[in-house]
């Protein structure tokens, strides 16, 4: 009952009038009544009635509010937060070097930004994560679903099918090696079709559609509570060409970042954004820096920069609250023609037991030799898959 | 914008009209606090307004990846591609060039870039079952005159070049009639071309391919080293316009780029073969697929 008038969810003009008329607590408002209120602050009787209705609702809400309501401030100790963080899973990327520098994989409840030059593999990583988030818990995954917001039109389903097939195969190999009940059971429902059916794709053609989609995200995630990953592929593309007024752009981007942070926190999901690079022309040289300006740099918790060094792809952890800055090489593997599709060989060989890995390697190469030997064909493309075991 | 058709509280509709807000874009451009001040409503009302307006804009836009994969309708499917008329190139690109987005062909001089685009202009006119789109093409020349003699040669030899298509089908297609040639030597003419003239042809369904030969020529002479910011801005605008045309009409856009040499002190002797694509990372950021012709031999066997 002692709640301050300034904290009520009223229209700002009405609030300002109440404060300037000298009302401080809601008790005073309720005592005055609608007629007195309308005379004192100069609003119509209907408006005064509405104000009192809001006040009564808020007071009722205060009395029954629980600490679990999102939006209300909740207190917890750092120990509780630590336990929560440790119990959370990571979304693995199927590249052990990348997972190591990230501290286990992509973290839930945080925004991770991946920046890079064109063609370096940002969309590939996003597609890989949209598949990896669905790995069942008995295999070390988070068993979630994924939302993929595509602004550039670069979401190619065929590639996702390749990645999903490799992931399913990898899980089959693990299950066969370990022969555990729950793993075999989980595999019954884990197939390429089930993976594809749990990736929700949205195509946004300009920044207005993107803003609208992000406003609708909280409701969508409440309906689909198993979503653990939200990908926005191409946050830079819609914002880089339509804006004469850069301050408007900064404001919209900040608002977007805030909404995504709320979504990440409330629904315990990871948010991945991909960004482009732009050239900053300095006095003597020019460097490639992430696009969208300096203020956007604060939006993401973790920042990865993908770049080329001659023909080697490198990933640098540029910003992280918990891991140290480091650079690792990574590869994007290709599929092999003659109908034998092994995309992401790296993924298959990520088994923790190294002896199992070597056995599979030998099996793989011997079967490839058999195929070329039997058919007598020389391959159109000679593929080298490099691994770091 | 007729606010009455929206599913909103009449008080909110009245406030919208009073604040003279005319479009969804204006609403989304303002922050929550600005909207509260402008329309004199509480934050709960504003949240409701934003959600309703976003819903209106994004009504039925969700598809699962499975639906995308299983979509076999040639008007919407991702599997639909435009064949290049050459089985080797088609295999490399897994069927051909995608229908949505800009495809860039870059290469050294006389590598075969114009040849492959001419071939594409003919390929697009074949029926769907032979990898075409049953429609015409627009060819925008920015530097040289259109190679009409070479096109005529290709047309005359189609029965040999496309042995996979039965002769009666080839005879029925009037190749020359469906290729529209535009010349645009400077930026303003080019801008006019892509915003007004091409949209007309695309809306009528007369063309399903746009070839720009070459995009580099427009920018190389007009911009010096110090104008990189203006050049970047033009590139981004053109790129975005082409991208949005391509998405709206599901039409592939093929851009021909030239190569330039990246000179660094240590590699001065190797310049000739390094051949970086011209036009900077701004152009490359526009999200396109690229086919490089480093050893390009003109393909006559398709």
């Amino acid at each position: 009952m002692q709640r301050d008038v300034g904290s009520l969810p009223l229209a700002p003009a009405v609030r300002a009038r109440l404060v300037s008329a000298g009302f401080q607590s809601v008790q005073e408002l309720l005592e005055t009544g609608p007629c007195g209120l309308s005379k004192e602050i100069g609003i119509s009787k209907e408006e005064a009635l509405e104000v009192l209705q809001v006040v009564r609702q808020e007071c009722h809400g205060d009395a029954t509010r629980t600490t679990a309501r999102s939006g209300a401030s909740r207190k917890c100790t750092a120990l509780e937060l630590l336990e929560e963080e440790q119990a959370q899973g990571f979304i693995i990327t199927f590249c052990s070097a990348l997972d190591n520098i990230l501290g286990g994989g992509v973290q839930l409840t945080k925004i991770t930004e991946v920046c890079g030059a064109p063609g370096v593999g940002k969309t590939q990583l996003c597609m890989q994560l949209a598949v990896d988030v669905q790995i069942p818990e008995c295999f070390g995954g988070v068993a979630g679903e994924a939302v993929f917001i595509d602004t550039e039109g670069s979401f190619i389903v065929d590639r996702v099918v390749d990645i999903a097939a490799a992931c399913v195969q990898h899980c089959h190999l693990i299950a066969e090696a370990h022969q555990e009940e729950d793993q075999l059971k989980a595999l019954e429902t884990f197939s390429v079709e089930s993976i594809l059916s749990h990736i929700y794709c949205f195509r946004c053609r300009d920044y207005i559609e993107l803003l609208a989609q992000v406003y609708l995200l909280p409701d969508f995630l409440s309906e689909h509570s198993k979503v653990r990953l939200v990908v926005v592929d191409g946050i830079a593309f819609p914002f880089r060409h339509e804006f004469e007024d850069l301050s408007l752009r900064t404001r919209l981007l900040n608002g977007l970042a805030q909404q995504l942070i709320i979504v990440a926190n409330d629904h315990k999901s990871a948010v991945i954004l991909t960004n482009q690079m732009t050239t900053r022309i300095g006095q003597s040289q020019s460097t490639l820096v992430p696009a969208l300006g300096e203020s956007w740099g604060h939006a993401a918790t973790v920042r990865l920069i993908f770049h080329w060094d001659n023909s080697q792809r490198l990933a640098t952890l540029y910003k992280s609250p918990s891991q140290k800055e480091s650079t690792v090489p990574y590869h994007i593997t290709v599929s092999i023609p003659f109908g034998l599709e092994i995309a992401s060989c790296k993924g298959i060989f990520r088994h923790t037991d190294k002896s199992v890995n070597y056995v599979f390697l030998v099996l793989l190469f011997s079967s490839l030799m058999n195929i070329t030997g039997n058919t007598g064909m020389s391959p159109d493309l000679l593929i080298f898959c490099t691994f770091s075991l | 914008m007729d606010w009455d058709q929206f599913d909103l509280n009449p008080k909110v509709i009245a406030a919208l009209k009073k604040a003279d807000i005319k479009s969804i874009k204006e609403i989304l451009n303002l922050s929550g606090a600005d909207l509260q001040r402008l329309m004199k409503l509480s934050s709960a009302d504003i949240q409701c307004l934003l959600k309703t307006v976003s819903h209106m804009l994004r009504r039925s836009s969700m598809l699962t990846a499975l639906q995308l994969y299983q979509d076999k309708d040639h008007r919407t499917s991702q599997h639909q591609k435009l064949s290049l008329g050459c089985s080797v190139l088609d295999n490399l690109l897994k069927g051909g060039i995608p229908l949505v987005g800009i495809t860039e062909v870059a290469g050294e001089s006389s590598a075969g870039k114009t040849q492959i685009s001419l071939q594409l202009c003919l390929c697009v006119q074949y029926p769907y079952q032979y990898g075409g789109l049953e429609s015409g093409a627009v060819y925008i020349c920015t530097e040289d005159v259109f190679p009409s003699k070479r096109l005529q040669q290709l047309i005359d030899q189609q029965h040999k070049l496309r042995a996979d298509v039965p002769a009666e089908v080839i005879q029925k297609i009037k190749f020359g009639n469906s290729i529209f040639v535009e010349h645009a030597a400077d930026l303003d003419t080019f801008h006019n071309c892509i915003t007004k003239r091409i949209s007309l042809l695309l809306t009528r369904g007369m063309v399903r391919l746009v070839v720009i030969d070459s995009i580099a020529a427009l920018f190389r002479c007009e911009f010096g080293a110090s104008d990189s910011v203006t050049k970047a801005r033009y590139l981004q605008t053109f790129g975005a316009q082409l991208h949005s045309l391509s998405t709206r009409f599901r039409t592939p856009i093929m851009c021909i780029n030239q190569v330039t040499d990246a000179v660094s002190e240590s590699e001065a002797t190797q310049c000739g073969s390094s051949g970086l694509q011209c036009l900077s990372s701004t152009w490359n950021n526009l999200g396109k697929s690229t086919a490089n012709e480093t050893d390009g031999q003109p393909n006559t066997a398709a």
Side-chain angles (χ1 to χ4, degrees), chain A residues 78-357:
Chain A
L79 183 63
E80 285 169 29
L81 283 177
L82 177 66
E83 284 166 7
E84 238 182 76
E85 250 184 49
Q86 283 177 339
Q88 249 168 37
F90 291 94
I91 307 177
I92 58 171
T93 61
F94 266 127
C95 171
S96 46
L98 205 52
D99 285 338
N100 281 339
I101 61 167
L102 287 171
V106 172
Q107 262 185 307
L108 299 180
T109 74
K110 305 265 186 295
I111 300 190
T112 305
E113 186 182 350
V114 179
C115 316
V120 76
K122 312 183 288 289
T123 307
Q124 296 295 308
L125 180 68
C126 293
M127 295 198 279
Q128 179 80 63
L129 289 169
V131 168
D132 292 345
V133 71
Q134 306 191 37
I135 296 177
E137 276 161 358
C138 49
F139 291 102
V142 295
E145 301 175 353
V147 165
F148 200 106
I149 302 180
D150 182 14
T151 59
E152 297 172 347
S154 48
F155 184 76
I156 305 291
V157 187
D158 287 334
R159 181 62 181 152
V160 180
V161 166
D162 288 347
I163 297 177
C167 186
V168 168
Q169 206 163 9
H170 176 61
C171 292
H172 272 288
L173 292 175
I174 298 183
E176 272 163 41
H178 287 189
Q179 289 292 330
E180 273 174 39
E181 263 298 320
D182 49 353
Q183 285 183 349
L184 293 164
K185 200 156 175 294
L187 275 181
E188 284 164 30
T189 45
F190 190 61
S191 66
V192 173
E193 280 81 24
S194 83
I195 295 179
L196 289 179
S197 62
H198 292 306
I199 302 180
Y200 306 108
C201 309
F202 297 90
R203 175 85 169 91
C204 295
R205 275 157 253 259
D206 56 30
Y207 79 93
I208 298 287
E209 291 191 10
L210 179 61
L211 289 175
Q213 194 63 62
V214 175
Y215 275 121
L216 294 175
L217 257 187
D219 288 340
F220 185 82
L221 293 188
S222 306
E223 282 168 38
H224 298 85
S225 54
K226 288 188 72 187
V227 170
R228 289 283 169 273
L229 175 69
V230 174
V231 178
V232 181
D233 185 12
I235 190 109
F237 181 64
F239 284 99
R240 283 189 85 189
H241 59 88
E242 275 186 61
F243 288 87
E244 290 300 330
D245 178 13
L246 284 182
S247 60
L248 172 65
R249 183 178 93 169
T250 313
R251 187 164 53 67
L252 290 176
L253 281 171
N254 284 338
L256 205 60
Q258 278 179 348
Q259 284 171 316
L260 289 171
I261 293 176
I262 294 175
V263 155
N265 260 318
D266 288 350
H267 297 95
K268 268 205 170 22
S269 41
V271 175
I272 298 268
L273 310 171
T274 58
N275 197 359
Q276 296 170 353
M277 301 296 269
T278 185
T279 317
R280 179 189 289 159
I281 303 177
Q283 263 134 14
S284 53
Q285 50 167 356
S286 52
T287 46
L288 276 181
V289 296
L292 297 181
E294 293 287 332
S295 45
W296 175 249
H298 301 292
T301 318
V302 177
R303 228 178 189 189
L304 270 174
I305 299 196
F306 284 2
H307 52 112
W308 292 93
D309 179 20
N310 295 325
S311 49
Q312 171 65 55
R313 289 178 157 96
L314 297 172
T316 302
L317 185 66
Y318 191 67
K319 175 184 176 190
S320 166
S322 52
Q323 302 299 315
K324 124 178 123 109
E325 194 177 306
S326 42
T327 303
V328 290
Y330 68 95
H331 306 267
I332 302 179
T333 52
V334 213
S335 69
I336 303 176
F338 358 98
L340 178 71
E341 306 258 352
I342 305 183
S344 179
C345 286
K346 222 174 173 62
I348 299 182
F349 297 101
R350 223 184 143 269
H351 198 275
T352 43
D353 185 350
K354 295 241 163 90
S355 56
V356 175
N357 284 342

Side-chain angles (χ1 to χ4, degrees), chain A residues 9-13 15 50 116-118 122 151-153 155-158 160-162 192-193 196-205 207-209 211-213 215-216 218-220 224 237 240-244 248 251-252 276-279 281 288 310 335 341 380-381, chain B residues 11 24-34 36-37 40-44 47 50-55 57-58 61-70 78-79 81 91-92 94 98 100 228-229 233 236-237 239-241 243-244 247-248 267 281-282 284-287:
Chain A
L10 297 168
R15 237 186 355 234
E50 269 185 32
K122 312 183 288 289
T151 59
E152 297 172 347
F155 184 76
I156 305 291
V157 187
D158 287 334
V160 180
V161 166
D162 288 347
V192 173
E193 280 81 24
L196 289 179
S197 62
H198 292 306
I199 302 180
Y200 306 108
C201 309
F202 297 90
R203 175 85 169 91
C204 295
R205 275 157 253 259
Y207 79 93
I208 298 287
E209 291 191 10
L211 289 175
Q213 194 63 62
Y215 275 121
L216 294 175
D219 288 340
F220 185 82
H224 298 85
F237 181 64
R240 283 189 85 189
H241 59 88
E242 275 186 61
F243 288 87
E244 290 300 330
L248 172 65
R251 187 164 53 67
L252 290 176
Q276 296 170 353
M277 301 296 269
T278 185
T279 317
I281 303 177
L288 276 181
N310 295 325
S335 69
E341 306 258 352
D380 291 329
L381 294 165
Chain B
K11 169 178 74 168
I24 297 184
K25 182 169 172 173
E26 277 182 50
I27 297 182
L28 290 175
N29 268 343
L30 292 165
S31 71
D34 283 332
Q36 275 189 298
R37 270 189 289 274
K40 302 184 184 32
L41 294 170
S42 65
S43 64
Q47 286 304 316
L50 284 169
K51 290 220 171 117
T52 316
V53 151
S54 305
H55 220 84
L57 203 58
R58 305 291 298 160
S61 53
M62 185 201 80
L63 286 172
T64 63
L66 189 63
Q67 286 168 320
L68 281 174
Y69 185 55
Q70 289 172 338
Q78 266 197 18
H79 302 292
K81 305 253 173 95
N91 276 339
L92 180 66
K94 278 200 174 178
V100 176
S228 51
V229 175
R233 202 171 297 149
Q236 271 169 5
T237 321
Q241 281 167 342
H243 214 97
S244 97
T247 317
R248 248 169 67 203
E267 293 170 0
S281 57
T282 313
N284 285 326
N285 269 329
L286 292 167

Side-chain angles (χ1 to χ4, degrees), chain B residues 10 15 56 63 68 72 90 125 136-137 141 160 169 186 198 209 215 226 246 250 263 289:
Chain B
M56 227 9 210
L63 286 172
L68 281 174
K72 301 289 182 209
D90 283 345
Q125 304 186 38
C141 295
K160 280 206 205 120
V169 175
D186 59 78
I198 301 190
L209 170 71
I215 190 98
S226 53
S246 175
R250 252 172 86 80
V263 184
S289 59

